[in-house]
Amino acid sequence: MKIAAQTLGCKLNYAETSDLLRRLSEEGNTIVDFHTPADLYIVNTCTVTAVAEKKCRNAIRQAHRQSPDAQIVVMGCFAQVAAEEIKKMPGVTQVLGNESKRLLSYSGEDRTRTFFKIQDGCDYFCTYCAIPYARGRSRSASLEETLCAARRIAQTGAKEVILTGVNTGTFGQHQGESFLKLLDKLDKLEGILRYRISSIEPNLLTDDIIDFVAHSRAFLPHFHIPLQAGSDHVLQLMHRRYDTALYRNKLECIKRVMPDACIAADVMAGFNGESEEEFGKVLSFIDSLPISYLHVFTYSDRPGTAALKLGEKIPIPVRHEHTARLLELSEKKHKEFIASQIGKVRPVLWESTAHGDNMQGWTDNYIRLTRPYSPTLVNTITEEEIRPENIIRE
C-alpha cells in the first residue's frame, strides 16, 4: 500500500507521525510524498489557532482531490475536538483522537537528529489554550520505559535527540519520578552525543535543571522557554503560572552559567485585554531580556476556552500589527545573538542532506552553519569557527 502523511503543528506531532510511518514501512508499506497519489493519506492535525485548523481542512481536501478513492485518516488535536465536523468531509474514512497515539514515539527520517516524545497532555488549562481538551491530562511513561526507548534511538545511529512533549517538565510527576532524574539518566546513556530540551515552562525550569545542563556531558546550551506575554496583567488573564520577575530570573540564571546559550521564547500577540499600553510593556520587557529569537503567534479564539469571556477583544488588524512588531523585535534580537557569536568556535553536527555543493549543521547553541559537502562528515561533530560567511540566516 502507498501511504502519504501530512503533519501540521508542533514538533510533538512530527515525532508521532514519523514514528507511525516508520512502523507502517516496517510492515511492508511504501511511504510516498503527500503531494502524489496514494492509497492511504494520514493527516496529523493541530488546533492551536484558527489558521492551523484551516490548514488541516485544506490538507484533507488536497488528499481527496489527488486520489478520490483513497482512504483518509485524520488524527491529532483538531481531530480530537472537531471529530464530527471532520467526519463529514469528503474522503475521510476514519478520525482518530489523541488517545490512539502512542505515549512514547520518536522520529526517524533524519539519521542525525531525532525528536523523542517523552510526555503528553497538560494539567495547566491556560485560558487561551484548547490543548488540554485535545490531548488530555499530563502523563508520561515510566523512567525505565523511557530509557528503553532512548536506547532504541541510540541503536539507530542518531547523534542528537530533541526531547518533546506538551508540558515536558511535568515528566514523571504522576508516578513519583522527575524530569531532572530523566535528564541525569539520559546523560549517562551511551551512543547519544547531544540532547536538546524542545520546550519547558519557566516555572518548571528549576535552578537545579539549569545547573545540570550547564555541567552535563550531552545536554546543549539551547532553551525554549514559553513567555506568551511580557506583562504581568496579561499573564494573569492567561492564568500562566509565573510573572515577569520569575521569567527574567530564569534567563539571567541561564546566562550566568552558560553565557553563549541560545534562548527562544513563545509570545502571543493580541490576547484579550492587551491594550496598547500593555503591548508597550511587552516590547520593552522582551527587548530587555537576553532572548535570542521569538516564536510569535497571533491570538485567535478557541472554542470552549475561558479566554472567550476575558477582557476587551483586540481588533484583528491590531493583532496582526502587534505580530509584525514582535517579529521585527525577534529579528533584531537574533541578529544581536549571532553577532555575539562571531569568531567563537562551537561544535557542529553535520546533516546528511546536500544543499547543492554544501552541507548544513547546527552548533550546540543553535546557529545553522554551512560548509562544502563531504560524505565523511555526515553525522559527525566538528569544531567550527562562526564567521559571517558560513552562517545560514533564516
Side-chain angles (χ1 to χ4, degrees):
M1 179 183 289
K2 291 183 178 179
I3 301 176
Q6 176 81 297
T7 303
L8 290 306
C10 62
K11 293 174 181 177
L12 185 60
N13 273 4
Y14 282 91
E16 292 166 340
T17 303
S18 178
D19 185 69
L20 175 59
L21 291 179
R22 182 176 59 255
R23 288 186 282 121
L24 290 170
S25 178
E26 290 170 352
E27 293 171 2
N29 299 289
T30 302
I31 309 303
V32 299
D33 187 87
F34 191 81
H35 303 287
T36 62
D39 303 304
L40 169 65
Y41 291 93
I42 300 169
V43 182
N44 196 352
T45 62
C46 176
T47 191
V48 168
T49 64
V51 172
E53 292 180 353
K54 181 179 179 180
K55 290 180 179 178
C56 297
R57 295 187 191 94
N58 289 341
I60 295 167
R61 295 188 184 105
Q62 178 189 339
H64 185 58
R65 285 196 305 269
Q66 288 175 168
S67 300
D69 296 327
Q71 300 179 61
I72 302 176
V73 175
V74 185
M75 59 191 289
C77 292
F78 187 37
Q80 183 78 31
V81 300
E84 294 306 312
E85 173 191 342
I86 294 171
K87 287 176 183 177
K88 297 174 183 177
M89 296 186 68
V92 174
T93 55
Q94 193 171 10
V95 179
L96 302 175
N98 283 311
E99 73 280 355
S100 303
K101 295 180 179 180
R102 302 206 312 181
L103 184 54
L104 287 170
S105 56
Y106 58 93
S107 62
E109 305 88 10
D110 185 342
R111 62 189 180 98
T112 61
R113 305 171 77 233
T114 292
F115 292 100
F116 181 25
K117 172 186 170 183
I118 63 165
Q119 181 273 341
D120 206 344
C122 185
D123 297 336
Y124 277 15
F125 291 91
C126 298
T127 57
Y128 55 82
C129 187
I131 296 302
Y133 307 101
R135 285 189 173 266
R137 293 302 186 106
S138 177
R139 58 203 181 276
S140 54
S142 70
L143 181 60
E144 187 51 42
E145 288 171 324
T146 306
L147 291 173
C148 285
R151 293 185 190 103
R152 291 195 295 272
I153 294 174
Q155 291 171 0
T156 69
K159 296 297 190 294
E160 181 174 308
V161 172
I162 301 96
L163 305 180
T164 67
V166 175
N167 194 346
T168 311
T170 61
F171 173 90
Q173 285 188 357
H174 297 288
Q175 57 255 38
E177 298 172 336
S178 72
F179 186 55
L180 179 57
K181 186 66 174 177
L182 174 65
L183 302 189
D184 180 61
K185 293 291 187 181
L186 290 173
D187 199 49
K188 295 171 180 162
L189 193 68
E190 293 183 4
I192 298 173
L193 301 183
R194 314 202 321 179
Y195 295 96
R196 294 185 196 272
I197 302 170
S198 67
S199 180
I200 184 168
E201 292 287 304
N203 54 296
L204 297 175
L205 181 59
T206 65
D207 290 353
D208 285 343
I209 291 175
I210 293 170
D211 187 66
F212 174 83
V213 171
H215 299 96
S216 68
R217 171 190 67 88
F219 279 85
L220 303 182
H222 177 205
F223 293 84
H224 187 137
I225 311 170
L227 171 61
Q228 306 305 1
S231 152
D232 286 337
H233 171 66
V234 177
L235 287 173
Q236 289 174 359
L237 289 175
M238 291 178 165
H239 285 187
R240 300 294 283 167
R241 300 190 179 198
Y242 54 88
D243 57 16
T244 54
L246 183 145
Y247 195 90
R248 181 186 296 279
N249 175 266
K250 296 302 177 184
L251 269 59
E252 291 176 348
C253 182
I254 290 170
K255 285 295 188 176
R256 276 197 300 270
V257 291
M258 291 170 278
D260 294 316
C262 177
I263 304 175
D266 293 335
V267 183
M268 186 177 295
F271 186 72
N272 298 345
E274 185 184 78
S275 64
E276 283 300 315
E277 179 183 358
E278 293 297 332
F279 183 64
K281 294 178 182 178
V282 170
L283 291 177
S284 177
F285 179 68
I286 294 174
D287 197 28
S288 72
L289 295 173
I291 282 177
S292 307
Y293 64 96
L294 304 173
H295 289 282
V296 182
F297 302 87
T298 305
Y299 170 75
S300 60
D301 289 335
R302 301 287 80 215
T305 59
L308 299 176
K309 302 176 183 178
L310 289 177
E312 181 182 350
K313 297 275 187 181
I314 306 302
I316 289 178
V318 176
R319 297 182 205 176
H320 291 314
E321 178 196 346
H322 288 185
T323 297
R325 292 170 69 183
L326 283 167
L327 289 170
E328 289 177 4
L329 179 56
S330 176
E331 180 67 18
K332 170 180 175 282
K333 300 294 283 186
H334 194 232
K335 286 180 178 178
E336 291 172 352
F337 173 66
I338 294 294
S340 74
Q341 298 301 299
I342 297 296
K344 296 185 178 181
V345 176
R346 309 295 305 190
V348 179
L349 174 61
W350 297 105
E351 298 174 346
S352 57
T353 305
H355 299 266
D357 295 328
N358 293 327
M359 63 196 309
Q360 298 180 3
W362 294 97
T363 66
D364 58 339
N365 61 348
Y366 212 60
I367 298 174
R368 199 160 179 79
L369 300 185
T370 183
R371 57 158 295 136
Y373 184 84
S374 170
T376 61
L377 291 180
V378 170
N379 206 23
T380 69
I381 297 173
T382 63
E383 298 288 326
E384 302 287 335
E385 182 183 355
I386 300 174
R387 307 185 309 276
E389 59 270 22
N390 68 357
I391 297 172
I392 298 174
R393 303 178 188 273
E394 297 179 311

